[in-house]
Amino acid sequence: MRVYLAATLPLLTGWWETGQAPPGPAHAVTPTLRESYRDGSTDEMEYVAQLGAARAALDLLAADPEILRRRVVLAVDVPDLDVAADPLAGRSAVVVGVAVPVSAWASALIDDDDAEAVVSAAVTALGAAAAGDDDAAFALDEAAAQELGWYAVQELPDLL
């Protein structure tokens, strides 16, 4: 199963150095997501799962005000039996029950320099958006509209 892990650049660096991403929350095409996109293609549903991970990356960025404001989404392949849906956390939310070695990483999606201002505004708006502020929700939408750059796994050492 293709799974999308939210991260930050420091987290990704640490995972690279240890040779694996830890078990934990992620996003994937779940039965709940499939049901809500009955007419959508698999590619469209994968994109929605990626967006879920990118949104989760905002929360990780909010936890550390000192790091670069760039979302990171790591696409990995995990055996279906090692992934459990977490519908209370969202329609694409899952929990990966095992560490994912670098050999199972497919690619990384990372914001470029141009996205930092928009991502920073979204991180700042998280609390207000959760409280229902429409302007803050718009800031989150602006970040979601920023396309993440695609990187092959073999490019990560140069990037990090």
Side-chain angles (χ1 to χ4, degrees):
M1 167 182 276
R2 176 61 51 92
V3 175
Y4 300 94
L5 308 175
T8 62
L9 287 173
L11 278 175
L12 184 60
T13 300
W15 296 350
W16 181 264
E17 290 170 354
T18 62
Q20 63 185 14
H27 290 266
V29 177
T30 63
T32 303
L33 183 60
R34 284 186 198 284
E35 187 173 308
S36 64
Y37 281 90
R38 289 184 200 159
D39 295 331
S41 70
T42 300
D43 287 342
E44 290 171 330
M45 288 183 274
E46 292 280 341
Y47 185 70
V48 170
Q50 289 174 23
L51 287 175
R55 169 57 185 84
L58 292 176
D59 293 326
L60 295 173
L61 290 169
D64 188 347
E66 300 299 316
I67 60 176
L68 283 176
R69 294 315 200 205
R70 291 192 191 172
R71 298 165 299 163
V72 175
V73 174
L74 186 62
V76 302
D77 294 313
V78 180
D80 291 358
L81 292 175
D82 293 328
V83 179
D86 188 5
L88 295 178
R91 61 187 177 184
S92 67
V94 297
V95 176
V96 178
V98 297
V100 184
V102 171
S103 61
W105 295 9
S107 63
L109 304 162
I110 302 172
D111 279 316
D112 62 19
D113 294 342
D114 296 340
E116 284 187 43
V118 171
V119 171
S120 182
V123 169
T124 301
L126 284 170
D133 182 297
D134 289 338
D135 291 333
F138 181 76
L140 298 185
D141 291 342
E142 287 276 305
Q146 290 284 320
E147 292 295 325
L148 297 165
W150 182 91
Y151 295 88
V153 173
Q154 59 268 31
E155 294 177 292
L156 293 179
D158 293 330
L159 178 70
L160 299 173

